[in-house]
Amino acid sequence: DAIPDLLFRVNEEGEYLDYIAAKSDNHIPAAAFIGNKLTDFLPPEIAGEIMSTLKKSLETLQIQTFPFEHVDNVIKFYEARFSPINHTEALGMVRDVTDMIVGKDAIHRGARHYQKLIRVSAFPIIVCNRKGEIISANLPAAALLGTANEQDLTGCHIEDFVSKKQRMAIKEAIKDGFVETLSFAPLKLTLLTQNGNEKEVEV
């Protein structure tokens, strides 16, 4: 009763043996489902795949999941999960995962835009982790540091490109950079390029 998702018990034929509506549903009586089959309430293209998922769960006695979409004014995303009770019955759960899917899509789209902005920027940009290891860089950064292309910088350490007396300062700057609420002045550095030149920069 505490689980907000749709719960049901079915046999190997997909017949509802028990049914508890999701808390967000209009509370259709369980009697409307019990005795009927999963396939009676689903589009043919989904019905066939969800029955295959059920049968696999009963055969293997392992939890099986099946993601699917349903269009009703808007597209909603769901995940059906079958947990076998034995070889002939399974507990089913259907969860609305629309918010999670939409959220992940927004993150991926944001990451793509972020990466594109780095690539097209005229300013040298380097992305590093907390250890100061370079994850990615753009072409202006490669030109500044004297490498043939930006891929040559991946895996290098930022400390490799600053003078020894400034390495502690760059370590502190990287550490402070991961504190979102902290604002600090630009750091003046002497860069050591791969061809041995020194360049005064502001980071």
Side-chain angles (χ1 to χ4, degrees):
D1 288 337
I3 295 175
D5 307 306
L6 164 62
L7 292 173
F8 54 89
R9 186 164 54 94
V10 289
N11 61 20
E12 58 192 342
E13 300 300 325
E15 180 183 345
Y16 287 103
L17 305 175
D18 200 359
Y19 184 93
I20 302 175
K23 299 298 183 282
S24 58
D25 281 355
N26 294 324
H27 301 293
I28 300 172
F33 294 90
I34 295 173
N36 292 307
K37 294 185 177 181
L38 284 169
T39 52
D40 295 335
F41 301 94
L42 295 170
E45 64 275 12
I46 295 177
E49 292 190 60
I50 205 166
M51 283 302 298
S52 296
T53 305
L54 169 62
K55 287 180 179 178
K56 185 175 181 181
S57 177
L58 296 175
E59 288 170 1
T60 62
L61 290 181
Q62 293 182 343
I63 294 173
Q64 301 292 332
T65 59
F66 170 64
F68 64 96
E69 306 171 6
H70 179 64
V71 181
D72 184 14
N73 295 325
V74 295
I75 297 178
K76 301 278 282 183
F77 299 91
Y78 297 92
E79 181 185 79
R81 180 183 298 257
F82 290 105
S83 179
I85 298 170
N86 50 47
H87 282 294
T88 61
E89 292 184 13
L91 176 66
M93 181 172 68
V94 176
R95 174 170 294 173
D96 184 343
V97 293
T98 304
D99 290 344
M100 183 176 68
I101 297 293
V102 172
K104 284 183 178 179
D105 182 60
I107 290 171
H108 290 152
R109 281 188 283 112
R112 289 196 299 271
H113 291 314
Y114 165 73
Q115 290 164 357
K116 183 178 179 181
L117 286 171
I118 290 176
R119 286 197 308 272
V120 302
S121 174
F123 293 96
I125 298 176
I126 290 173
V127 180
C128 70
N129 62 19
R130 290 177 182 271
K131 296 179 181 179
E133 295 168 339
I134 297 173
I135 299 169
S136 63
N138 61 4
L139 277 172
L144 177 67
L145 296 175
T147 61
N149 55 63
E150 62 269 40
Q151 284 80 23
D152 289 343
L153 293 174
T154 304
C156 294
H157 203 286
I158 289 181
E159 288 183 27
D160 298 336
F161 298 99
V162 297
S163 61
K164 288 183 179 180
K165 63 182 180 180
Q166 293 181 319
R167 288 182 180 176
M168 185 55 67
I170 195 74
K171 282 182 178 180
E172 289 298 317
I174 291 169
K175 183 177 73 174
D176 292 344
F178 280 92
V179 182
E180 294 180 3
T181 57
L182 187 63
S183 177
F184 52 91
L187 182 66
K188 296 185 184 297
L189 292 175
T190 300
L191 290 184
L192 306 176
T193 66
Q194 287 200 340
N195 52 17
N197 294 329
E198 292 187 0
K199 293 185 179 180
E200 300 298 324
V201 300
E202 194 175 75
V203 180

